[in-house]
Amino acid sequence: MRFEQSLREKVPLAPMTTLGIGGPARYFADITDTEALLAGVDWAGARGVPMFVLGGGSNIVVADSGFPGLVLRLCIRGIETKIEGDSAELIAGAGEEWDALVARSVANNWSGWECLSGIPGRVGATPIQNVGAYGQDTSETLVSVEALDLNDKKLVCLSAADCEFGYRTSRFKTRDRDRFVITRVSYRLKVGGAPVIRYPELQRHLGELKTIAPTPADVREAVLAIRRRKAMVIDPSEPDSRSVGSFFVNPTLTHEQFNLVKSQAARFIGSAEEVPSYPAAENMVKLSAAWLIQRAGISRGYVHGNVGTSTKHALAIVNRGGGSAKEVAELKDLIQARVFNAFGILLAPEPVFVGFEP
Ligand SMILES: Cc1cc2nc3c(=O)[nH]c(=O)nc-3n(C[C@H](O)[C@H](O)[C@H](O)COP(=O)(O)OP(=O)(O)OC[C@H]3O[C@@H](n4cnc5c(N)ncnc54)[C@H](O)[C@@H]3O)c2cc1C
């Protein structure tokens, strides 16, 4: 559809987000192809209005006042598949639903995404924070990204190396934030490959089920079961899933920084309790943000007005019904302050804040 036909004014954004919070977009359009995208970019440029690119709204917090510019929701569809030997290449439009793609690949017995089951959102956002879960992340299967470079309004093809992926990050979230609009992503999966079962919780779950030689489909089922227990699968009948998933990134520290945290923790907790840690890339140490939050005194089910932490996972901030972005921001600040006071760590929020004052 042409951009001008899709353009609307004062469109409520809350229903387009998983948190269900936030005011309207001053202007809004669904974008179904690259021509419409270019027209939208030109339209905003000519009027000097700010632009925001929306996917499935599962990793954003929209301000109560909404967004004062043009929101372009990426709805570019289409999936192409090429099989060569044991490799399956998938090229998907940015507007395709991520979990539908995962379900389809798992049903074909292609491995590479089984642990990424149950994550909401659309394909175009998967490279932004290098979406990952249960020991797998997008960068392991991503081949390239097609994107509109807003600097010169040209379509570019970026390789996986060009994307500068890291733990829950990429150049799209750091030095080139807001520069690219992703239109298509190409991934490579393994036909008949063994699923990835690195994550201890997943290993335990499959062990309890006594699954011998698990397939990607078995791993998907196990991941979905684990995620449901934590309300990390979107379910309208589960109020704890009205969230953005994990609100904070698990901190990654050097060993020296970790030693400082351990001594501060010993003073704060006043016991010999170990701070749980996991080895991370480049000789770093990863800590559990959920553990830090709980030990800092914010438990599961903590209430702050109409928002709170999930009763099933301290790392998720949920809209308990009628919540506001102001309350979400207040609770975020409170959690950050408590964790900083207890352990000297400033937790980094995972979602993107839209329409807030800088
Ligand atoms: C219950 C729940 C569980 C979750 N579990 C996980 C998890 O296990 N692992 C994980 O990594 N994440 C998880 N998330 C977070 C979220 O689902 C992912 O980050 C997802 O990739 C966001 O996709 P989206 O389409 O909803 O993006 P949106 O929320 O719409 O946008 C997120 C950011 O990406 C940008 N963006 C979106 N599309 C494009 C595009 N085409 N081009 C350029 N920029 C774009 C937006 O501008 C924004 O900055 C979870 C969220 C929820 C609600």
Side-chain angles (χ1 to χ4, degrees):
M1 194 200 280
R2 283 166 54 90
F3 166 74
E4 289 76 7
Q5 287 171 310
S6 171
L7 184 63
R8 290 182 281 152
E9 289 193 49
K10 298 188 183 132
V11 175
L13 289 174
M16 297 182 201
T17 69
T18 51
L19 199 53
I21 281 177
R26 177 71 187 87
Y27 304 101
F28 179 93
D30 276 331
I31 296 300
T32 51
D33 55 37
T34 41
E35 286 78 55
L37 174 59
L38 268 167
V41 169
D42 284 342
W43 187 93
R47 285 157 188 81
V49 298
M51 221 176 64
F52 177 74
V53 176
L54 179 67
S58 63
N59 212 15
I60 56 169
V61 181
V62 178
D64 295 317
S65 53
F67 183 70
L70 171 64
V71 171
L72 298 174
R73 180 164 63 173
L74 266 276
C75 302
I76 298 173
R77 305 295 301 265
I79 302 167
E80 287 169 49
T81 312
K82 285 185 233 158
I83 314 268
E84 266 179 43
D86 66 355
S87 135
E89 190 175 351
L90 269 113
I91 305 171
E96 290 293 336
E97 288 301 324
W98 171 251
D99 194 49
L101 209 58
V102 174
R104 178 178 160 155
S105 73
V106 163
N108 285 328
N109 203 29
W110 300 339
S111 70
W113 284 346
E114 53 284 348
C115 298
L116 304 180
S117 296
I119 300 178
R122 297 184 177 181
V123 161
T126 55
I128 305 289
Q129 69 158 4
N130 185 18
V131 160
Y134 297 97
Q136 213 165 41
D137 66 37
T138 307
S139 68
E140 295 169 54
T141 47
L142 186 141
V143 177
S144 62
V145 166
E146 181 196 89
L148 180 70
D149 184 345
L150 295 176
N151 281 356
D152 57 8
K153 297 191 199 155
K154 295 242 163 54
L155 272 184
V156 292
C157 179
L158 304 169
S159 69
D162 292 335
C163 297
E164 298 167 16
F165 289 120
Y167 168 63
R168 290 305 165 274
T169 191
S170 70
R171 73 188 279 187
F172 308 115
K173 228 185 156 171
T174 51
R175 72 178 173 99
D176 278 327
R177 198 183 191 109
D178 299 332
R179 172 171 166 190
F180 295 101
V181 182
I182 295 172
T183 48
R184 267 181 198 83
V185 185
S186 138
Y187 310 88
R188 188 172 294 121
L189 300 171
K190 195 132 195 227
V191 178
V196 166
I197 312 171
R198 291 183 196 127
Y199 204 77
E201 197 178 359
L202 186 56
Q203 289 168 348
R204 271 198 304 278
H205 187 91
L206 287 163
E208 279 161 21
L209 295 177
K210 300 198 172 33
T211 315
I212 299 156
T215 61
D218 294 328
V219 173
R220 174 173 168 82
E221 280 317 306
V223 167
L224 288 174
I226 297 171
R227 293 184 72 98
R228 277 192 201 103
R229 288 205 297 252
K230 301 178 187 173
M232 283 290 173
V233 177
I234 296 288
D235 175 353
S237 66
E238 170 53 271
D240 276 325
S241 72
R242 225 181 291 142
S243 75
V244 293
S246 303
F247 204 92
F248 298 98
V249 181
N250 289 322
T252 314
L253 309 180
T254 61
H255 285 272
E256 290 73 32
Q257 289 167 330
F258 184 41
N259 286 336
L260 290 173
V261 169
K262 280 196 282 195
S263 16
Q264 188 157 340
R267 282 196 299 277
F268 183 80
I269 304 175
S271 76
E273 190 179 2
E274 291 271 312
V275 179
S277 67
Y278 311 90
E282 290 160 17
N283 199 25
M284 304 278 276
V285 182
K286 199 196 293 180
L287 305 192
S288 156
W291 186 92
L292 295 167
I293 292 169
Q294 292 188 91
R295 286 299 181 280
I298 308 268
S299 54
R300 293 178 192 163
Y302 182 94
V303 171
H304 178 77
N306 289 327
V307 305
T309 56
S310 158
T311 62
K312 304 191 179 63
H313 200 338
L315 199 45
I317 291 183
V318 298
N319 175 6
R320 301 172 55 247
S324 66
K326 182 171 170 283
E327 289 171 315
V328 171
E330 284 166 359
L331 182 53
K332 170 201 89 89
D333 289 346
L334 176 76
I335 293 173
Q336 282 178 317
R338 291 269 187 100
V339 170
F340 190 77
N341 180 40
F343 303 107
I345 295 176
L346 183 63
L347 289 179
E350 194 182 289
V352 175
F353 289 80
V354 182
F356 284 75
E357 291 294 322

